[in-house]
Amino acid sequence: RGWCRARIMLFYTIFRTLQGKEIIVELKNDLAIKGTLQSVDQFLNFKLTNIKVMDEEKYPHMMAVKNCFIRGSVVRYVQLPGAEMDIDILQDATRREAKGNRDEK
């Protein structure tokens, strides 16, 4: 259970560094939304502004929506902007998690 919480906190930390950046969130119902990450919480709920639906023909009713709140439990994938990622933070966190997993065995 502790390792699961550590992974969630790792993702939370990464997403927090991307506030104000553009991301794409794909939901479990296949809806993909591109927008600016305004906030994320410890449950990995996202608040996006200036959103655009990636497949407007399939979801025309979403064209009028400008901002949205996405519950973390309905997220399938999050596409991160590669140029905006702080690779050092990601590598450091991954090393700490791997070391913690070795110490638990």
PDB file of all heavy atoms in Angstrom, residues 48-85:
ATOM      1  N   LEU A  48      -8.447  21.884 -16.167  1.00  0.00           N
ATOM      2  CA  LEU A  48      -7.880  22.387 -17.409  1.00  0.00           C
ATOM      3  C   LEU A  48      -8.626  23.634 -17.868  1.00  0.00           C
ATOM      4  O   LEU A  48      -9.848  23.720 -17.722  1.00  0.00           O
ATOM      5  CB  LEU A  48      -7.959  21.338 -18.519  1.00  0.00           C
ATOM      6  CG  LEU A  48      -7.246  20.008 -18.304  1.00  0.00           C
ATOM      7  CD1 LEU A  48      -7.462  19.101 -19.503  1.00  0.00           C
ATOM      8  CD2 LEU A  48      -5.773  20.209 -18.049  1.00  0.00           C
ATOM      9  N   THR A  49      -7.892  24.568 -18.443  1.00  0.00           N
ATOM     10  CA  THR A  49      -8.491  25.763 -19.024  1.00  0.00           C
ATOM     11  C   THR A  49      -8.167  25.795 -20.514  1.00  0.00           C
ATOM     12  O   THR A  49      -7.269  25.086 -20.980  1.00  0.00           O
ATOM     13  CB  THR A  49      -7.953  27.046 -18.347  1.00  0.00           C
ATOM     14  OG1 THR A  49      -6.531  27.089 -18.482  1.00  0.00           O
ATOM     15  CG2 THR A  49      -8.311  27.084 -16.873  1.00  0.00           C
ATOM     16  N   ASN A  50      -8.904  26.613 -21.248  1.00  0.00           N
ATOM     17  CA  ASN A  50      -8.697  26.757 -22.706  1.00  0.00           C
ATOM     18  C   ASN A  50      -8.681  25.397 -23.401  1.00  0.00           C
ATOM     19  O   ASN A  50      -7.771  25.103 -24.173  1.00  0.00           O
ATOM     20  CB  ASN A  50      -7.402  27.517 -23.000  1.00  0.00           C
ATOM     21  CG  ASN A  50      -7.371  28.856 -22.329  1.00  0.00           C
ATOM     22  OD1 ASN A  50      -8.352  29.584 -22.318  1.00  0.00           O
ATOM     23  ND2 ASN A  50      -6.235  29.194 -21.743  1.00  0.00           N
ATOM     24  N   ILE A  51      -9.687  24.590 -23.107  1.00  0.00           N
ATOM     25  CA  ILE A  51      -9.662  23.222 -23.624  1.00  0.00           C
ATOM     26  C   ILE A  51     -10.138  23.143 -25.072  1.00  0.00           C
ATOM     27  O   ILE A  51     -10.862  24.005 -25.564  1.00  0.00           O
ATOM     28  CB  ILE A  51     -10.497  22.258 -22.761  1.00  0.00           C
ATOM     29  CG1 ILE A  51     -11.992  22.551 -22.893  1.00  0.00           C
ATOM     30  CG2 ILE A  51     -10.049  22.260 -21.331  1.00  0.00           C
ATOM     31  CD1 ILE A  51     -12.873  21.416 -22.402  1.00  0.00           C
ATOM     32  N   LYS A  52      -9.694  22.078 -25.706  1.00  0.00           N
ATOM     33  CA  LYS A  52     -10.116  21.745 -27.070  1.00  0.00           C
ATOM     34  C   LYS A  52     -10.207  20.227 -27.131  1.00  0.00           C
ATOM     35  O   LYS A  52      -9.292  19.525 -26.709  1.00  0.00           O
ATOM     36  CB  LYS A  52      -9.089  22.257 -28.068  1.00  0.00           C
ATOM     37  CG  LYS A  52      -9.451  21.941 -29.484  1.00  0.00           C
ATOM     38  CD  LYS A  52      -8.443  22.508 -30.467  1.00  0.00           C
ATOM     39  CE  LYS A  52      -8.975  22.193 -31.792  1.00  0.00           C
ATOM     40  NZ  LYS A  52      -8.414  22.220 -32.930  1.00  0.00           N
ATOM     41  N   VAL A  53     -11.327  19.739 -27.629  1.00  0.00           N
ATOM     42  CA  VAL A  53     -11.510  18.301 -27.795  1.00  0.00           C
ATOM     43  C   VAL A  53     -10.752  17.869 -29.039  1.00  0.00           C
ATOM     44  O   VAL A  53     -10.826  18.523 -30.081  1.00  0.00           O
ATOM     45  CB  VAL A  53     -13.017  17.961 -27.899  1.00  0.00           C
ATOM     46  CG1 VAL A  53     -13.224  16.496 -28.193  1.00  0.00           C
ATOM     47  CG2 VAL A  53     -13.727  18.358 -26.626  1.00  0.00           C
ATOM     48  N   MET A  54     -10.018  16.785 -28.930  1.00  0.00           N
ATOM     49  CA  MET A  54      -9.176  16.341 -30.038  1.00  0.00           C
ATOM     50  C   MET A  54     -10.002  15.811 -31.214  1.00  0.00           C
ATOM     51  O   MET A  54      -9.605  15.951 -32.349  1.00  0.00           O
ATOM     52  CB  MET A  54      -8.182  15.272 -29.557  1.00  0.00           C
ATOM     53  CG  MET A  54      -7.271  15.759 -28.433  1.00  0.00           C
ATOM     54  SD  MET A  54      -6.408  17.305 -28.791  1.00  0.00           S
ATOM     55  CE  MET A  54      -5.308  16.782 -30.078  1.00  0.00           C
ATOM     56  N   ASP A  55     -11.159  15.207 -30.961  1.00  0.00           N
ATOM     57  CA  ASP A  55     -12.021  14.682 -32.025  1.00  0.00           C
ATOM     58  C   ASP A  55     -13.363  15.413 -31.965  1.00  0.00           C
ATOM     59  O   ASP A  55     -14.343  14.907 -31.438  1.00  0.00           O
ATOM     60  CB  ASP A  55     -12.200  13.178 -31.858  1.00  0.00           C
ATOM     61  CG  ASP A  55     -12.903  12.526 -33.031  1.00  0.00           C
ATOM     62  OD1 ASP A  55     -13.327  13.252 -33.963  1.00  0.00           O
ATOM     63  OD2 ASP A  55     -13.052  11.288 -33.021  1.00  0.00           O
ATOM     64  N   GLU A  56     -13.388  16.626 -32.509  1.00  0.00           N
ATOM     65  CA  GLU A  56     -14.586  17.460 -32.423  1.00  0.00           C
ATOM     66  C   GLU A  56     -15.775  16.871 -33.179  1.00  0.00           C
ATOM     67  O   GLU A  56     -16.914  17.109 -32.807  1.00  0.00           O
ATOM     68  CB  GLU A  56     -14.286  18.874 -32.929  1.00  0.00           C
ATOM     69  CG  GLU A  56     -13.361  19.635 -32.015  1.00  0.00           C
ATOM     70  CD  GLU A  56     -13.026  21.020 -32.527  1.00  0.00           C
ATOM     71  OE1 GLU A  56     -13.313  21.318 -33.710  1.00  0.00           O
ATOM     72  OE2 GLU A  56     -12.471  21.805 -31.750  1.00  0.00           O
ATOM     73  N   GLU A  57     -15.525  16.102 -34.225  1.00  0.00           N
ATOM     74  CA  GLU A  57     -16.623  15.493 -34.981  1.00  0.00           C
ATOM     75  C   GLU A  57     -17.365  14.455 -34.135  1.00  0.00           C
ATOM     76  O   GLU A  57     -18.580  14.325 -34.231  1.00  0.00           O
ATOM     77  CB  GLU A  57     -16.080  14.840 -36.256  1.00  0.00           C
ATOM     78  CG  GLU A  57     -15.604  15.849 -37.276  1.00  0.00           C
ATOM     79  CD  GLU A  57     -15.042  15.190 -38.525  1.00  0.00           C
ATOM     80  OE1 GLU A  57     -15.219  13.965 -38.706  1.00  0.00           O
ATOM     81  OE2 GLU A  57     -14.415  15.899 -39.321  1.00  0.00           O
ATOM     82  N   LYS A  58     -16.631  13.746 -33.319  1.00  0.00           N
ATOM     83  CA  LYS A  58     -17.234  12.709 -32.486  1.00  0.00           C
ATOM     84  C   LYS A  58     -17.906  13.306 -31.242  1.00  0.00           C
ATOM     85  O   LYS A  58     -18.864  12.741 -30.721  1.00  0.00           O
ATOM     86  CB  LYS A  58     -16.163  11.698 -32.058  1.00  0.00           C
ATOM     87  CG  LYS A  58     -16.710  10.470 -31.384  1.00  0.00           C
ATOM     88  CD  LYS A  58     -15.598   9.453 -31.161  1.00  0.00           C
ATOM     89  CE  LYS A  58     -16.117   8.217 -30.455  1.00  0.00           C
ATOM     90  NZ  LYS A  58     -15.058   7.258 -30.189  1.00  0.00           N
ATOM     91  N   TYR A  59     -17.410  14.456 -30.773  1.00  0.00           N
ATOM     92  CA  TYR A  59     -17.933  15.090 -29.562  1.00  0.00           C
ATOM     93  C   TYR A  59     -18.273  16.557 -29.826  1.00  0.00           C
ATOM     94  O   TYR A  59     -17.704  17.464 -29.210  1.00  0.00           O
ATOM     95  CB  TYR A  59     -16.907  15.001 -28.426  1.00  0.00           C
ATOM     96  CG  TYR A  59     -16.493  13.591 -28.101  1.00  0.00           C
ATOM     97  CD1 TYR A  59     -15.315  13.047 -28.614  1.00  0.00           C
ATOM     98  CD2 TYR A  59     -17.281  12.791 -27.288  1.00  0.00           C
ATOM     99  CE1 TYR A  59     -14.931  11.750 -28.309  1.00  0.00           C
ATOM    100  CE2 TYR A  59     -16.909  11.489 -26.984  1.00  0.00           C
ATOM    101  CZ  TYR A  59     -15.734  10.980 -27.501  1.00  0.00           C
ATOM    102  OH  TYR A  59     -15.361   9.696 -27.204  1.00  0.00           O
ATOM    103  N   PRO A  60     -19.218  16.833 -30.732  1.00  0.00           N
ATOM    104  CA  PRO A  60     -19.524  18.229 -31.077  1.00  0.00           C
ATOM    105  C   PRO A  60     -20.090  19.031 -29.908  1.00  0.00           C
ATOM    106  O   PRO A  60     -19.909  20.244 -29.839  1.00  0.00           O
ATOM    107  CB  PRO A  60     -20.542  18.106 -32.208  1.00  0.00           C
ATOM    108  CG  PRO A  60     -21.161  16.762 -32.026  1.00  0.00           C
ATOM    109  CD  PRO A  60     -20.077  15.893 -31.448  1.00  0.00           C
ATOM    110  N   HIS A  61     -20.755  18.368 -28.975  1.00  0.00           N
ATOM    111  CA  HIS A  61     -21.329  19.059 -27.816  1.00  0.00           C
ATOM    112  C   HIS A  61     -20.252  19.636 -26.893  1.00  0.00           C
ATOM    113  O   HIS A  61     -20.535  20.504 -26.086  1.00  0.00           O
ATOM    114  CB  HIS A  61     -22.238  18.104 -27.038  1.00  0.00           C
ATOM    115  CG  HIS A  61     -21.547  16.858 -26.576  1.00  0.00           C
ATOM    116  ND1 HIS A  61     -21.237  15.826 -27.434  1.00  0.00           N
ATOM    117  CD2 HIS A  61     -21.085  16.497 -25.360  1.00  0.00           C
ATOM    118  CE1 HIS A  61     -20.623  14.869 -26.764  1.00  0.00           C
ATOM    119  NE2 HIS A  61     -20.510  15.254 -25.498  1.00  0.00           N
ATOM    120  N   MET A  62     -19.011  19.189 -27.041  1.00  0.00           N
ATOM    121  CA  MET A  62     -17.926  19.674 -26.190  1.00  0.00           C
ATOM    122  C   MET A  62     -17.255  20.935 -26.746  1.00  0.00           C
ATOM    123  O   MET A  62     -16.425  21.526 -26.078  1.00  0.00           O
ATOM    124  CB  MET A  62     -16.863  18.574 -26.020  1.00  0.00           C
ATOM    125  CG  MET A  62     -17.323  17.375 -25.232  1.00  0.00           C
ATOM    126  SD  MET A  62     -17.624  17.754 -23.500  1.00  0.00           S
ATOM    127  CE  MET A  62     -15.980  18.135 -22.937  1.00  0.00           C
ATOM    128  N   MET A  63     -17.631  21.346 -27.947  1.00  0.00           N
ATOM    129  CA  MET A  63     -16.975  22.498 -28.570  1.00  0.00           C
ATOM    130  C   MET A  63     -17.240  23.792 -27.799  1.00  0.00           C
ATOM    131  O   MET A  63     -16.418  24.707 -27.827  1.00  0.00           O
ATOM    132  CB  MET A  63     -17.410  22.643 -30.023  1.00  0.00           C
ATOM    133  CG  MET A  63     -16.840  21.549 -30.911  1.00  0.00           C
ATOM    134  SD  MET A  63     -17.426  21.618 -32.607  1.00  0.00           S
ATOM    135  CE  MET A  63     -16.947  23.245 -33.095  1.00  0.00           C
ATOM    136  N   ALA A  64     -18.347  23.886 -27.094  1.00  0.00           N
ATOM    137  CA  ALA A  64     -18.690  25.102 -26.354  1.00  0.00           C
ATOM    138  C   ALA A  64     -18.009  25.166 -24.984  1.00  0.00           C
ATOM    139  O   ALA A  64     -17.994  26.213 -24.352  1.00  0.00           O
ATOM    140  CB  ALA A  64     -20.200  25.198 -26.175  1.00  0.00           C
ATOM    141  N   VAL A  65     -17.447  24.058 -24.543  1.00  0.00           N
ATOM    142  CA  VAL A  65     -16.819  24.010 -23.216  1.00  0.00           C
ATOM    143  C   VAL A  65     -15.417  24.617 -23.291  1.00  0.00           C
ATOM    144  O   VAL A  65     -14.637  24.282 -24.176  1.00  0.00           O
ATOM    145  CB  VAL A  65     -16.757  22.551 -22.703  1.00  0.00           C
ATOM    146  CG1 VAL A  65     -16.101  22.480 -21.344  1.00  0.00           C
ATOM    147  CG2 VAL A  65     -18.144  21.937 -22.669  1.00  0.00           C
ATOM    148  N   LYS A  66     -15.108  25.499 -22.354  1.00  0.00           N
ATOM    149  CA  LYS A  66     -13.805  26.174 -22.349  1.00  0.00           C
ATOM    150  C   LYS A  66     -12.899  25.705 -21.218  1.00  0.00           C
ATOM    151  O   LYS A  66     -11.679  25.744 -21.341  1.00  0.00           O
ATOM    152  CB  LYS A  66     -13.989  27.700 -22.240  1.00  0.00           C
ATOM    153  CG  LYS A  66     -14.776  28.289 -23.390  1.00  0.00           C
ATOM    154  CD  LYS A  66     -14.060  28.081 -24.697  1.00  0.00           C
ATOM    155  CE  LYS A  66     -14.884  28.613 -25.858  1.00  0.00           C
ATOM    156  NZ  LYS A  66     -14.607  27.917 -27.094  1.00  0.00           N
ATOM    157  N   ASN A  67     -13.495  25.300 -20.084  1.00  0.00           N
ATOM    158  CA  ASN A  67     -12.740  24.843 -18.923  1.00  0.00           C
ATOM    159  C   ASN A  67     -13.380  23.573 -18.403  1.00  0.00           C
ATOM    160  O   ASN A  67     -14.577  23.368 -18.561  1.00  0.00           O
ATOM    161  CB  ASN A  67     -12.752  25.903 -17.811  1.00  0.00           C
ATOM    162  CG  ASN A  67     -12.239  27.235 -18.297  1.00  0.00           C
ATOM    163  OD1 ASN A  67     -11.200  27.320 -18.926  1.00  0.00           O
ATOM    164  ND2 ASN A  67     -12.987  28.288 -18.006  1.00  0.00           N
ATOM    165  N   CYS A  68     -12.589  22.712 -17.754  1.00  0.00           N
ATOM    166  CA  CYS A  68     -13.181  21.496 -17.216  1.00  0.00           C
ATOM    167  C   CYS A  68     -12.409  20.972 -16.013  1.00  0.00           C
ATOM    168  O   CYS A  68     -11.242  21.291 -15.816  1.00  0.00           O
ATOM    169  CB  CYS A  68     -13.284  20.415 -18.290  1.00  0.00           C
ATOM    170  SG  CYS A  68     -11.711  19.758 -18.834  1.00  0.00           S
ATOM    171  N   PHE A  69     -13.107  20.175 -15.223  1.00  0.00           N
ATOM    172  CA  PHE A  69     -12.537  19.448 -14.100  1.00  0.00           C
ATOM    173  C   PHE A  69     -12.613  17.975 -14.464  1.00  0.00           C
ATOM    174  O   PHE A  69     -13.669  17.493 -14.870  1.00  0.00           O
ATOM    175  CB  PHE A  69     -13.349  19.721 -12.828  1.00  0.00           C
ATOM    176  CG  PHE A  69     -12.882  18.921 -11.649  1.00  0.00           C
ATOM    177  CD1 PHE A  69     -11.848  19.379 -10.863  1.00  0.00           C
ATOM    178  CD2 PHE A  69     -13.478  17.709 -11.331  1.00  0.00           C
ATOM    179  CE1 PHE A  69     -11.412  18.643  -9.766  1.00  0.00           C
ATOM    180  CE2 PHE A  69     -13.050  16.959 -10.242  1.00  0.00           C
ATOM    181  CZ  PHE A  69     -12.011  17.437  -9.461  1.00  0.00           C
ATOM    182  N   ILE A  70     -11.514  17.261 -14.343  1.00  0.00           N
ATOM    183  CA  ILE A  70     -11.472  15.847 -14.707  1.00  0.00           C
ATOM    184  C   ILE A  70     -11.119  15.033 -13.463  1.00  0.00           C
ATOM    185  O   ILE A  70     -10.058  15.235 -12.867  1.00  0.00           O
ATOM    186  CB  ILE A  70     -10.440  15.580 -15.817  1.00  0.00           C
ATOM    187  CG1 ILE A  70     -10.771  16.410 -17.054  1.00  0.00           C
ATOM    188  CG2 ILE A  70     -10.379  14.092 -16.142  1.00  0.00           C
ATOM    189  CD1 ILE A  70      -9.701  16.368 -18.127  1.00  0.00           C
ATOM    190  N   ARG A  71     -12.008  14.151 -13.103  1.00  0.00           N
ATOM    191  CA  ARG A  71     -11.768  13.276 -11.956  1.00  0.00           C
ATOM    192  C   ARG A  71     -10.659  12.283 -12.301  1.00  0.00           C
ATOM    193  O   ARG A  71     -10.661  11.665 -13.373  1.00  0.00           O
ATOM    194  CB  ARG A  71     -13.063  12.548 -11.604  1.00  0.00           C
ATOM    195  CG  ARG A  71     -12.965  11.688 -10.389  1.00  0.00           C
ATOM    196  CD  ARG A  71     -14.306  11.010 -10.152  1.00  0.00           C
ATOM    197  NE  ARG A  71     -14.143   9.960  -9.181  1.00  0.00           N
ATOM    198  CZ  ARG A  71     -14.612  10.025  -7.943  1.00  0.00           C
ATOM    199  NH1 ARG A  71     -15.294  11.078  -7.551  1.00  0.00           N
ATOM    200  NH2 ARG A  71     -14.433   9.011  -7.109  1.00  0.00           N
ATOM    201  N   GLY A  72      -9.715  12.125 -11.402  1.00  0.00           N
ATOM    202  CA  GLY A  72      -8.557  11.271 -11.646  1.00  0.00           C
ATOM    203  C   GLY A  72      -8.896   9.838 -11.988  1.00  0.00           C
ATOM    204  O   GLY A  72      -8.193   9.194 -12.772  1.00  0.00           O
ATOM    205  N   SER A  73      -9.994   9.311 -11.449  1.00  0.00           N
ATOM    206  CA  SER A  73     -10.346   7.908 -11.674  1.00  0.00           C
ATOM    207  C   SER A  73     -10.830   7.628 -13.095  1.00  0.00           C
ATOM    208  O   SER A  73     -10.940   6.462 -13.479  1.00  0.00           O
ATOM    209  CB  SER A  73     -11.417   7.464 -10.674  1.00  0.00           C
ATOM    210  OG  SER A  73     -12.607   8.202 -10.870  1.00  0.00           O
ATOM    211  N   VAL A  74     -11.118   8.664 -13.890  1.00  0.00           N
ATOM    212  CA  VAL A  74     -11.580   8.441 -15.265  1.00  0.00           C
ATOM    213  C   VAL A  74     -10.475   8.674 -16.295  1.00  0.00           C
ATOM    214  O   VAL A  74     -10.704   8.577 -17.494  1.00  0.00           O
ATOM    215  CB  VAL A  74     -12.818   9.308 -15.612  1.00  0.00           C
ATOM    216  CG1 VAL A  74     -13.966   8.996 -14.677  1.00  0.00           C
ATOM    217  CG2 VAL A  74     -12.480  10.778 -15.610  1.00  0.00           C
ATOM    218  N   VAL A  75      -9.262   8.957 -15.833  1.00  0.00           N
ATOM    219  CA  VAL A  75      -8.137   9.239 -16.738  1.00  0.00           C
ATOM    220  C   VAL A  75      -7.473   7.934 -17.156  1.00  0.00           C
ATOM    221  O   VAL A  75      -7.149   7.087 -16.331  1.00  0.00           O
ATOM    222  CB  VAL A  75      -7.101  10.159 -16.057  1.00  0.00           C
ATOM    223  CG1 VAL A  75      -5.861  10.327 -16.926  1.00  0.00           C
ATOM    224  CG2 VAL A  75      -7.727  11.508 -15.747  1.00  0.00           C
ATOM    225  N   ARG A  76      -7.269   7.784 -18.468  1.00  0.00           N
ATOM    226  CA  ARG A  76      -6.531   6.641 -18.996  1.00  0.00           C
ATOM    227  C   ARG A  76      -5.064   7.006 -19.189  1.00  0.00           C
ATOM    228  O   ARG A  76      -4.178   6.303 -18.728  1.00  0.00           O
ATOM    229  CB  ARG A  76      -7.131   6.179 -20.320  1.00  0.00           C
ATOM    230  CG  ARG A  76      -6.370   5.002 -20.916  1.00  0.00           C
ATOM    231  CD  ARG A  76      -6.933   4.559 -22.253  1.00  0.00           C
ATOM    232  NE  ARG A  76      -8.284   4.050 -22.078  1.00  0.00           N
ATOM    233  CZ  ARG A  76      -9.246   4.171 -22.983  1.00  0.00           C
ATOM    234  NH1 ARG A  76      -9.018   4.805 -24.119  1.00  0.00           N
ATOM    235  NH2 ARG A  76     -10.445   3.674 -22.770  1.00  0.00           N
ATOM    236  N   TYR A  77      -4.803   8.104 -19.903  1.00  0.00           N
ATOM    237  CA  TYR A  77      -3.439   8.552 -20.190  1.00  0.00           C
ATOM    238  C   TYR A  77      -3.347  10.062 -20.063  1.00  0.00           C
ATOM    239  O   TYR A  77      -4.332  10.762 -20.256  1.00  0.00           O
ATOM    240  CB  TYR A  77      -3.032   8.217 -21.635  1.00  0.00           C
ATOM    241  CG  TYR A  77      -3.009   6.755 -21.984  1.00  0.00           C
ATOM    242  CD1 TYR A  77      -3.937   6.229 -22.879  1.00  0.00           C
ATOM    243  CD2 TYR A  77      -2.062   5.900 -21.449  1.00  0.00           C
ATOM    244  CE1 TYR A  77      -3.925   4.888 -23.227  1.00  0.00           C
ATOM    245  CE2 TYR A  77      -2.047   4.556 -21.783  1.00  0.00           C
ATOM    246  CZ  TYR A  77      -2.976   4.065 -22.676  1.00  0.00           C
ATOM    247  OH  TYR A  77      -2.956   2.741 -23.004  1.00  0.00           O
ATOM    248  N   VAL A  78      -2.143  10.524 -19.792  1.00  0.00           N
ATOM    249  CA  VAL A  78      -1.852  11.952 -19.856  1.00  0.00           C
ATOM    250  C   VAL A  78      -0.623  12.102 -20.736  1.00  0.00           C
ATOM    251  O   VAL A  78       0.419  11.492 -20.468  1.00  0.00           O
ATOM    252  CB  VAL A  78      -1.579  12.559 -18.460  1.00  0.00           C
ATOM    253  CG1 VAL A  78      -1.238  14.030 -18.575  1.00  0.00           C
ATOM    254  CG2 VAL A  78      -2.772  12.362 -17.545  1.00  0.00           C
ATOM    255  N   GLN A  79      -0.760  12.863 -21.808  1.00  0.00           N
ATOM    256  CA  GLN A  79       0.368  13.133 -22.695  1.00  0.00           C
ATOM    257  C   GLN A  79       1.056  14.400 -22.208  1.00  0.00           C
ATOM    258  O   GLN A  79       0.439  15.459 -22.129  1.00  0.00           O
ATOM    259  CB  GLN A  79      -0.107  13.312 -24.131  1.00  0.00           C
ATOM    260  CG  GLN A  79      -0.696  12.054 -24.723  1.00  0.00           C
ATOM    261  CD  GLN A  79      -1.158  12.265 -26.150  1.00  0.00           C
ATOM    262  OE1 GLN A  79      -0.616  13.087 -26.880  1.00  0.00           O
ATOM    263  NE2 GLN A  79      -2.177  11.528 -26.547  1.00  0.00           N
ATOM    264  N   LEU A  80       2.317  14.257 -21.874  1.00  0.00           N
ATOM    265  CA  LEU A  80       3.076  15.360 -21.309  1.00  0.00           C
ATOM    266  C   LEU A  80       3.927  16.031 -22.388  1.00  0.00           C
ATOM    267  O   LEU A  80       4.421  15.360 -23.290  1.00  0.00           O
ATOM    268  CB  LEU A  80       3.986  14.840 -20.198  1.00  0.00           C
ATOM    269  CG  LEU A  80       3.288  14.039 -19.099  1.00  0.00           C
ATOM    270  CD1 LEU A  80       4.323  13.460 -18.148  1.00  0.00           C
ATOM    271  CD2 LEU A  80       2.303  14.900 -18.370  1.00  0.00           C
ATOM    272  N   PRO A  81       4.119  17.331 -22.271  1.00  0.00           N
ATOM    273  CA  PRO A  81       4.967  18.020 -23.240  1.00  0.00           C
ATOM    274  C   PRO A  81       6.439  17.697 -22.958  1.00  0.00           C
ATOM    275  O   PRO A  81       6.992  18.094 -21.933  1.00  0.00           O
ATOM    276  CB  PRO A  81       4.669  19.503 -22.980  1.00  0.00           C
ATOM    277  CG  PRO A  81       4.220  19.548 -21.552  1.00  0.00           C
ATOM    278  CD  PRO A  81       3.548  18.230 -21.287  1.00  0.00           C
ATOM    279  N   GLY A  82       7.052  16.943 -23.839  1.00  0.00           N
ATOM    280  CA  GLY A  82       8.423  16.486 -23.643  1.00  0.00           C
ATOM    281  C   GLY A  82       9.419  17.605 -23.389  1.00  0.00           C
ATOM    282  O   GLY A  82      10.292  17.495 -22.531  1.00  0.00           O
ATOM    283  N   ALA A  83       9.287  18.698 -24.098  1.00  0.00           N
ATOM    284  CA  ALA A  83      10.224  19.811 -23.943  1.00  0.00           C
ATOM    285  C   ALA A  83      10.076  20.496 -22.596  1.00  0.00           C
ATOM    286  O   ALA A  83      11.006  21.149 -22.126  1.00  0.00           O
ATOM    287  CB  ALA A  83      10.011  20.824 -25.070  1.00  0.00           C
ATOM    288  N   GLU A  84       8.935  20.344 -21.952  1.00  0.00           N
ATOM    289  CA  GLU A  84       8.673  21.027 -20.687  1.00  0.00           C
ATOM    290  C   GLU A  84       9.019  20.165 -19.467  1.00  0.00           C
ATOM    291  O   GLU A  84       8.989  20.650 -18.348  1.00  0.00           O
ATOM    292  CB  GLU A  84       7.196  21.428 -20.596  1.00  0.00           C
ATOM    293  CG  GLU A  84       6.724  22.296 -21.719  1.00  0.00           C
ATOM    294  CD  GLU A  84       7.325  23.696 -21.679  1.00  0.00           C
ATOM    295  OE1 GLU A  84       7.791  24.113 -20.610  1.00  0.00           O
ATOM    296  OE2 GLU A  84       7.327  24.350 -22.721  1.00  0.00           O
ATOM    297  N   MET A  85       9.317  18.900 -19.689  1.00  0.00           N
ATOM    298  CA  MET A  85       9.567  17.995 -18.571  1.00  0.00           C
ATOM    299  C   MET A  85      10.921  18.265 -17.927  1.00  0.00           C
ATOM    300  O   MET A  85      11.915  18.468 -18.624  1.00  0.00           O
ATOM    301  CB  MET A  85       9.545  16.538 -19.049  1.00  0.00           C
ATOM    302  CG  MET A  85       8.180  16.032 -19.439  1.00  0.00           C
ATOM    303  SD  MET A  85       7.022  15.975 -18.084  1.00  0.00           S
ATOM    304  CE  MET A  85       7.847  14.902 -16.951  1.00  0.00           C
TER     305      MET A  85
END
